[in-house]
Amino acid sequence: MFKIRHLLPLAALAAVLSYAEPSSAETIIDEWQSVKAPPAPQLKSVTLDPKTTALLVIDMIKQTCNEKMRPRCVAAIPKIENLLAAARASGVTVIYTLFPSPSPATFPNPVISDYVPALAPKGNEPVVTAFVDKFMLGDKDTGLQKILKDKGITTLVSVGITSHNGLLFTSVMAALRGFNVVVPVDGIAGNNAYEDQIAAYTLTSSIVYKVTLTSIDMIKFQ
């Protein structure tokens, strides 16, 4: 009798455990090695009106765009240079960005003269300073949206570094502010191919962003 009284609770516990809810789904950490990249997004040809288009050159400075730190950025310089020349020749508005230093004592704030020489601003081409979202610096407006609105810009072409930070966040915020955004994938550069892939996927994975992916040789100004 003693044994039966003690075995019954154990049997009940076993029954409960056998009907317990299944364990939760695996996390991305558990699945990391088995994740497969989605198909590459389709690149599209675009013909842009120079009067309503701006080219935004993001953070292409010598301190971070060099063979030692970002060889992918160095490889993109000639292509961006070609796009920049075509944009200027067509009368497209060209705007530059810089980022404030997180530690000025060891890394002084970048200035215009730090831009890669082949891509340096000319004349009165404006420069705005911000971290990853070039429309805002903390809670302050950088003036980028006003520059675009004052010039009647409706389409923004984004190139530069870093693909997963400044370029990605600024492109998303531009689209959410109502601008059409064009991103040539051969004009962006992260630290590695994975970061470029993340940016390209994110920019085209939601209709909210309304971003067109292209390549520099598929952009025409007319």
Side-chain angles (χ1 to χ4, degrees), residues 74-165:
V74 175
I77 290 174
K79 297 176 181 180
I80 297 176
E81 185 178 10
N82 290 339
L83 178 61
L84 186 57
R88 284 175 173 152
S90 299
V92 170
T93 296
V94 179
I95 305 170
Y96 286 81
T97 77
L98 291 173
F99 58 89
S101 174
S103 54
T106 57
F107 188 99
N109 282 316
V111 294
I112 295 175
S113 59
D114 291 326
Y115 247 85
V116 172
L119 307 177
K122 291 184 178 181
N124 61 351
E125 291 172 339
V127 180
V128 298
T129 300
F131 287 106
V132 295
D133 173 9
K134 301 304 181 178
F135 288 92
M136 299 293 295
L137 178 56
D139 59 353
K140 297 181 180 179
D141 192 321
T142 63
L144 176 57
Q145 180 157 351
K146 185 177 188 305
I147 293 171
L148 297 172
K149 291 293 187 181
D150 287 351
K151 292 181 175 294
I153 302 302
T154 57
T155 298
L156 189 66
V157 181
S158 303
V159 295
I161 59 172
T162 51
S163 55
H164 66 300
N165 278 335

